[in-house]
Amino acid sequence: MSVNGKKSLNAGVFVPAFAIVLIAVAVGLINNELLVKIAKDIFYFSLSDFAWLYQLLAVSALGVVAYIFFSKAGNIRLGGANAKPTFSMATTFAMALTGGIATGVVTYSVNEPIIYMGNIYGEIANQSFAANTGEAAIFAIARSFHNWSFIPYAIYSIVGLMIGYMHYNRKKDFSIASTISPVIGSHERKPAVRSLIDIISVLAIALGLASSLGAGLALIGSGIEAEYGIKSSPTTWLVLTLLISAIFITSALSGLKRGIRFLSSVNAYIFYGFMVILLLVGPVSYIFSLSVTSIGYWLDNFFLWAFDTKESGGEALVTWWTMYDWSIWIAYAPLMGLFLARISYGRTLREFLIINWILPSVFGMLWFAIWGGSAIKWQLDGTLDLVKVVTENGAVSGLWGFLQHLPFSGVLVPLAIFTLIISFATAADSMSSTIATICTKNISADEESPKAQKIIWGLSIGAIAYIMVAFGGGAQGVDGIKFLAAAGGFSVLFLFVLIVASGARVFITKKECADEVPSASSLKAEVVND
């Protein structure tokens, strides 16, 4: 287990996972076109041929967490009836929010609604309305709500909830493999099975994290170019990669209770501040009016969008946006689940879901309503042509044109760049630490993973991200990044099927094996009153 108090390396997980990542880095450095081509082939194969599975899984995850939230199972406390939370509600929410969204909400807050409304890459070609109209504006915000609220956060929540419950309440190992014991029984204990699950999970998050860092690099680079005239180039991206990697590795080395806690708190307050600023200077009446209408439009189309595999919405909308989103959320889910479980000891399952499902979903809707609504208003009334900015400069460039239009843009643009750096550093901190945890033998939820592994994984992820953003731009400027995310999501897709099935079996059907999960009577005994 350990030698002189030091945890030993889990070579059965670390060696094959790191070898694959190292090979990817080497291929990218030697023949970056080959790496981009492989990732592109995986993108189309997974998100086209398996779109039906992604959609069914996403809806199933939503159904399971909703059932737990509204049923008596929501009263079960992680760690037992007497367990006390380690962190306050506000701190836990800040860590969960900023650790999970990385640069996503900042990257696409303006860009995604504008791309939809302007039909820049053909997103609304299958719709009955024209681009840059009131109907297109409603659709743009409604679709953003769909992609950034209750479904994706259910994907995170089901995994974190299952890891926490199986570890704290059922006394299973703190591992992803433990989440699927209700459906695979004693096979979960076999070393080969556990190693395979951990390897798949590490690869998924390494690719997903590299994708997020790549998106961050592209966005920050375009912001520096827009504000300071320094053209985005491989050199610029390399400097940014080294800077961001240094920040999140340093934070990871300082541990969960110091590094992540501090970064997430700073990051959360900046997010809140931006929302307040935009409410003060933005078209508030229009934001609320458009958002309420968009909620109705979203709910009216919810089931069609939730099950559409591109036959209705088309490839440009469904494959390149919604399926891409689901793939990166699923790629993150196993290791994000470990992180959420670590910070949620002492919470009831209902509290867990309030923090990790309800509140982030509401935040996502408010964020897109305020940022996206303001951008759309200024686009429609001719104040600012963000469609032209994105068309000419790539899918992540609209944010900077938007910020430069605001009062005090000389302060807000650097603050946004800082926010992006901290946003990714927070997420990368939590994820690189969790990868290192998986690659360490017999480690518990409250123990820190080895520092050397945090450094190794941090540098490796930074290298992949740099290669994909520098050499895989494509039509949107971030094509290679999306290819990478799809590869990460697909690598863990079938494991996620088992995790969702386990959640349904434990909390809905209650037909578990007696030696794996509690009987109905013992489950009832763990329920505590709200």
Side-chain angles (χ1 to χ4, degrees), residues 130-247:
N132 298 307
T133 61
E135 293 90 340
I138 295 167
F139 175 89
I141 295 298
R143 194 75 190 197
S144 298
F145 287 169
H146 185 77
N147 288 356
W148 288 93
S149 62
F150 292 94
I151 290 179
Y153 281 107
I155 291 172
Y156 277 177
S157 296
I158 186 63
V159 184
L161 186 149
M162 284 299 296
I163 291 172
Y165 179 73
M166 298 305 291
H167 178 63
Y168 295 126
N169 297 67
R170 297 278 50 87
K171 309 306 177 187
K172 295 285 185 181
D173 290 341
F174 185 62
S175 70
I176 297 160
S178 297
T179 64
I180 62 175
S181 60
V183 294
I184 69 171
S186 60
H187 294 293
E188 170 264 332
R189 298 195 207 44
K190 295 180 178 179
V193 173
R194 298 177 72 86
S195 293
L196 178 62
I197 290 170
D198 288 340
I199 291 168
I200 290 172
S201 301
V202 168
L203 289 176
I205 196 59
L207 294 172
L209 196 55
S211 172
S212 292
L213 174 54
L217 292 175
L219 184 61
I220 295 168
S222 66
I224 292 173
E225 181 175 352
E227 184 68 12
Y228 305 110
I230 302 173
K231 189 169 180 60
S232 293
S233 68
T235 302
T236 307
W237 292 320
L238 179 60
V239 172
L240 290 171
T241 301
L242 294 174
L243 174 63
I244 296 174
S245 297
I247 293 173

Side-chain angles (χ1 to χ4, degrees), residues 123-135:
E123 282 78 6
I124 60 173
N126 284 23
Q127 307 301 320
S128 60
F129 45 80
N132 298 307
T133 61
E135 293 90 340

Side-chain angles (χ1 to χ4, degrees), residues 50-393:
F50 289 90
W52 60 272
L53 183 55
Y54 276 103
Q55 291 285 44
L56 288 176
L57 269 178
V59 173
S60 297
L62 178 68
V64 173
V65 299
Y67 177 87
I68 294 170
F69 183 81
F70 291 107
S71 71
K72 291 183 178 180
N75 297 328
I76 297 171
R77 190 173 297 278
L78 294 174
N82 298 318
K84 302 296 181 185
T86 306
F87 303 104
S88 69
M89 180 80 83
T91 298
T92 306
F93 172 64
M95 289 194 288
L97 177 70
T98 58
I101 57 179
T103 57
V105 293
V106 182
T107 303
Y108 293 110
S109 55
V110 169
N111 297 311
E112 188 165 338
I114 287 294
I115 288 170
Y116 291 157
M117 189 185 74
N119 194 33
I120 293 176
Y121 304 110
E123 282 78 6
I124 60 173
N126 284 23
Q127 307 301 320
S128 60
F129 45 80
N132 298 307
T133 61
E135 293 90 340
I138 295 167
F139 175 89
I141 295 298
R143 194 75 190 197
S144 298
F145 287 169
H146 185 77
N147 288 356
W148 288 93
S149 62
F150 292 94
I151 290 179
Y153 281 107
I155 291 172
Y156 277 177
S157 296
I158 186 63
V159 184
L161 186 149
M162 284 299 296
I163 291 172
Y165 179 73
M166 298 305 291
H167 178 63
Y168 295 126
N169 297 67
R170 297 278 50 87
K171 309 306 177 187
K172 295 285 185 181
D173 290 341
F174 185 62
S175 70
I176 297 160
S178 297
T179 64
I180 62 175
S181 60
V183 294
I184 69 171
S186 60
H187 294 293
E188 170 264 332
R189 298 195 207 44
K190 295 180 178 179
V193 173
R194 298 177 72 86
S195 293
L196 178 62
I197 290 170
D198 288 340
I199 291 168
I200 290 172
S201 301
V202 168
L203 289 176
I205 196 59
L207 294 172
L209 196 55
S211 172
S212 292
L213 174 54
L217 292 175
L219 184 61
I220 295 168
S222 66
I224 292 173
E225 181 175 352
E227 184 68 12
Y228 305 110
I230 302 173
K231 189 169 180 60
S232 293
S233 68
T235 302
T236 307
W237 292 320
L238 179 60
V239 172
L240 290 171
T241 301
L242 294 174
L243 174 63
I244 296 174
S245 297
I247 293 173
F248 80 72
I249 290 172
T250 301
S251 177
L253 294 178
S254 67
L256 174 68
K257 295 183 179 180
R258 294 177 60 192
I260 297 176
R261 185 175 186 173
F262 173 74
L263 281 181
S264 62
S265 296
V266 170
N267 204 12
Y269 281 117
I270 294 175
F271 279 152
Y272 305 152
F274 264 117
M275 291 175 72
V276 171
I277 290 171
L278 280 172
L279 281 176
L280 292 175
V281 303
V284 178
S285 177
Y286 180 79
I287 288 171
F288 286 122
S289 179
L290 176 63
S291 301
V292 170
T293 305
S294 298
I295 289 173
Y297 190 93
W298 171 40
L299 293 176
D300 191 40
N301 290 277
F302 179 83
F303 288 104
L304 173 61
W305 292 356
F307 292 99
D308 181 18
T309 61
K310 80 177 180 183
E311 303 306 319
S312 173
E315 182 179 287
L317 175 68
V318 179
T319 304
W320 276 86
W321 288 97
T322 304
M323 291 301 96
Y324 156 73
D325 285 342
W326 290 182
S327 70
I328 198 168
W329 287 88
I330 289 174
Y332 263 73
L335 296 202
M336 191 63 196
L338 285 170
F339 174 67
L340 296 180
R342 287 183 73 193
I343 63 176
S344 298
Y345 178 82
R347 298 288 177 192
T348 65
L349 299 188
R350 187 170 292 109
E351 289 173 340
F352 177 95
L353 292 175
I354 289 173
I355 294 170
N356 298 299
W357 179 47
I358 301 293
L359 292 180
S361 298
V362 172
F363 175 88
M365 293 177 68
L366 287 172
W367 184 267
F368 275 87
I370 295 170
W371 287 72
S374 299
I376 284 173
K377 173 63 173 175
W378 293 333
Q379 177 70 41
L380 290 176
D381 66 16
T383 302
L384 191 60
D385 193 354
L386 291 172
V387 170
K388 180 180 179 182
V389 172
V390 173
T391 302
E392 294 179 350
N393 300 292

Side-chain angles (χ1 to χ4, degrees), residues 491-503:
S491 66
V492 79
L493 181 64
F494 298 99
L495 172 60
F496 190 69
V497 171
L498 296 177
I499 294 173
V500 173
S502 292

